Amino acid sequence: MRVLEPGALSTVQDLGRPGWFHAGVGVSGAVDRRALRLANRLVGNAESAAAIECVLGGLSVEFDAPAIVSVTGAPVPISVGVRAEPPASVLFVAAGQRVRIGMAEAGLRCYLAVRGGIAVEPVLGSRSRDTMAGLGPEPLRQGDTLPVGAPPRGWPTIEMAPVAPLTQETLRVRARLGPRADWFHNPADLFTGAWAVSTDTDRIGVRLDRHGDAPPLRRVDDAELPTEGMALGAIQVPPAGRPVVLLADRPITGGYPVVGTVIDEDVDLLGQARPGQLIEFCSWQP
């Protein structure tokens, strides 16, 4: 597969490299894991196969042999050669044909999977690019050639998957307070009003600004917190009071207090949140 246009930021991602915290290495992997898994299932791959994660769209690739691909995640215009194709479906690509992904209408990240997976050399058991640690293959550039692995034995069982549409409407995300809620005068105000996604958002985390007249989070004091582990979905609050929800390429430790944690099932929603989109946290109890 040859990269004709890499888009704004396209990286190779799988489900990450768990098991390396003792060496200071995070998991990384796809920010929207559900979208990656679906793309792989549609082409018959194992859910953990490596695919391309593309921010906003603008990706164009060409295959030198027949291929079967799928595009999931943020809704984007898709074309194979001259024909338009639907998202979350099985797409057959002839040798020499181009697959073009336009700009996303909503959401932030789309995923291009190819039957056989992207077969770049793994690093510590994963083909994912960790943008914070600098591990894994470099972000895609024009002219890059990516190897495609041997096709799996299984075949896709459906031609198209029904998916809930992504919109620019307010996202409602479930979270639990803690473990450092006692570091704040008003931790429950995390659930009051809305937060706006900042432009300062990437694979490391989603930075949030207060929206409207809702109260900011106020720390009890400016004391330093001893460094501790940072979970996926942790809502870390730096001294300026602007929360950051940590995503796939997060640091594995940190010293800012964590007022709450987004439940694992809803982290993928935040991976599709665009700058300016509103977030409302909902208190969740198991």
Side-chain angles (χ1 to χ4, degrees):
M1 182 173 69
R2 186 161 62 93
V3 178
L4 305 177
E5 299 174 22
L9 175 63
S10 297
T11 56
V12 176
Q13 299 293 337
D14 53 24
L15 291 179
R17 48 179 66 83
W20 292 96
F21 280 1
H22 67 283
V25 178
V27 175
S28 189
V31 175
D32 186 344
R33 297 159 295 174
R34 281 180 293 196
L36 175 76
R37 289 184 171 113
L38 176 60
N40 276 319
R41 290 200 305 269
L42 282 166
V43 297
N45 289 342
E47 290 186 349
S48 58
I52 297 175
E53 178 183 276
C54 176
V55 176
L56 287 176
L59 176 68
S60 178
V61 298
E62 185 179 67
F63 293 87
D64 61 3
I68 300 175
V69 305
S70 181
V71 180
T72 60
V76 290
I78 305 163
S79 63
V80 175
V82 297
R83 70 180 189 270
E85 296 283 8
S89 60
V90 180
L91 308 178
F92 295 88
V93 184
Q97 277 192 318
R98 298 184 179 188
V99 178
R100 293 183 176 90
I101 296 176
M103 301 306 292
E105 303 160 7
L108 191 62
R109 294 176 172 90
C110 61
Y111 293 83
L112 171 67
V114 56
R115 182 170 169 80
I118 305 298
V120 295
E121 192 69 24
V123 177
L124 299 180
S126 170
R127 295 179 168 89
S128 286
R129 174 66 179 181
D130 185 329
T131 57
M132 185 173 188
L135 291 175
E138 293 290 330
L140 302 191
R141 296 168 296 183
Q142 187 176 28
D144 282 351
T145 300
L146 300 177
V148 175
R153 288 188 174 185
W155 279 91
T157 56
I158 59 173
E159 295 182 356
M160 182 179 295
V163 292
L166 293 174
T167 71
Q168 291 295 88
E169 297 177 359
T170 300
L171 288 176
R172 289 171 176 80
V173 176
R174 293 168 291 177
R176 298 187 68 185
L177 286 180
R180 299 299 177 188
D182 58 341
W183 279 59
F184 298 86
H185 287 290
N186 57 336
D189 282 338
L190 176 70
F191 307 116
T192 302
W195 302 85
V197 176
S198 166
T199 55
D200 187 13
T201 291
D202 53 22
R203 284 181 48 84
I204 297 171
V206 177
R207 189 176 297 277
L208 302 174
D209 297 312
R210 253 312 182 192
H211 177 74
D213 298 328
L217 295 175
R218 294 178 292 109
R219 285 187 46 175
V220 172
D221 56 43
D222 294 328
E224 291 293 325
L225 179 71
T227 297
E228 59 187 1
M230 291 291 119
L232 180 67
I235 307 170
Q236 195 179 50
V237 186
R242 300 172 64 202
V244 181
V245 185
L246 299 181
L247 299 180
D249 287 356
R250 69 195 183 281
I252 64 173
T253 61
Y256 297 137
V258 173
V259 66
T261 306
V262 175
I263 70 169
D264 187 74
E265 188 177 346
D266 285 0
V267 170
D268 292 337
L269 294 174
L270 290 171
Q272 295 291 358
R274 282 194 178 193
Q277 192 166 2
L278 298 184
I279 306 290
E280 290 181 353
F281 291 107
C282 307
S283 180
W284 180 86
Q285 295 294 330

